[in-house]
Amino acid sequence: ASNNILKYARYIPSNGWYIIEISTQGGVGNIKVDKNNNVHIVFDNTLDMEYRRGNGSDWTIYSFDNLFGTRPSLALDSNNQPHISRCRTGENYNVIYQKLVTGVFTTSVVETADNLYDTSIAIDSKGNPHIVYYQGLVGRLRYAKNTGSGWVITTVDNSSVFEYPSI
C-alpha cells in the first residue's frame, strides 16, 4: 500500500504490467495465488478487514469487523479455501482464526492475553491451522495449533521480542 492505496499487479507477457487499485483505504495485507491462478487478498483498512478472491478483474469481496485488527495473515488449504489469522487490539487482545465455510467466515478466538501482535498462519496437509504470534512487553513467541478438538498453545521462547514472526 502506498498513500493508503492498495494495488494489485500482475505481468501479462503480451501486454506488460496490469495494475489495478484494490482499495483507497488499503492497509497491511497478505496475498496468495491458488492452484487455479485465482488471487486471494486479505487486508486491513481504516474501516474493516477485507478478504477478496478473484481473477484480478472480477472479485468476490467479504468484509468483516476490524476492531483495531493488525496485520492479517492468509493461508490456503488443499481445496484453495482461505484461512486467516489476525490479532484484535484495543480493550481486549485476541488472536483470531477465521475460515471460509460454505460462503461464510467462521471465527474462533485462539487466545486472549495482553499485548498480542502479528500472526502468521500455515495449514498442514490434514487441513489443520498452525499460528505463530508474539506477546509484546513480555517477549513471548507463541505457537498455536488446532487438530479439530481445540487449540493447543505453547510458548516457543520467552527471552526476547519477536516482531513479525513467520511460520
Side-chain angles (χ1 to χ4, degrees):
S2 171
N3 299 320
N4 290 334
I5 298 174
L6 182 66
K7 296 181 180 182
Y8 165 73
R10 71 175 174 183
Y11 185 77
I12 302 170
S14 59
N15 295 329
W17 285 100
Y18 170 72
I19 301 172
I20 61 167
E21 189 174 286
I22 298 293
S23 173
T24 59
Q25 302 295 318
V28 177
N30 203 272
I31 186 170
K32 303 285 187 224
V33 178
D34 68 25
K35 295 180 272 187
N36 299 320
N37 288 323
N38 289 311
V39 178
H40 300 254
I41 301 173
V42 64
F43 62 96
D44 57 0
N45 62 40
T46 58
L47 304 173
D48 56 17
M49 185 92 43
E50 279 190 23
Y51 162 77
R52 296 182 183 206
R53 174 177 53 205
N55 60 16
S57 302
D58 298 316
W59 299 94
T60 301
I61 301 170
Y62 298 84
S63 294
F64 29 135
D65 67 278
N66 193 357
L67 299 177
F68 308 106
T70 61
R71 295 183 180 89
S73 181
L74 172 65
L76 302 176
D77 63 25
S78 61
N79 295 316
N80 295 325
Q81 292 301 303
H83 299 254
I84 297 169
S85 66
R86 61 189 175 116
C87 284
R88 284 187 186 156
T89 59
E91 287 184 31
N92 296 310
Y93 287 79
N94 306 110
V95 173
I96 302 296
Y97 166 70
Q98 295 174 291
K99 172 178 152 180
L100 189 62
V101 178
T102 61
V104 176
F105 274 97
T106 62
T107 300
S108 66
V109 174
V110 176
E111 181 175 18
T112 299
D114 289 336
N115 300 300
L116 299 171
Y117 298 100
D118 300 331
T119 69
S120 177
I121 188 170
I123 306 301
D124 66 25
S125 61
K126 295 179 182 175
N128 297 317
H130 300 258
I131 301 172
V132 293
Y133 51 96
Y134 85 97
Q135 187 176 10
L137 299 180
V138 294
R140 286 189 187 116
L141 178 63
R142 305 283 278 163
Y143 167 75
K145 68 177 177 180
N146 191 317
T147 58
S149 58
W151 291 98
V152 177
I153 301 169
T154 58
T155 297
V156 176
D157 193 327
N158 59 8
S159 63
S160 188
V161 176
F162 298 91
E163 293 188 63
Y164 316 115
S166 181
I167 190 167

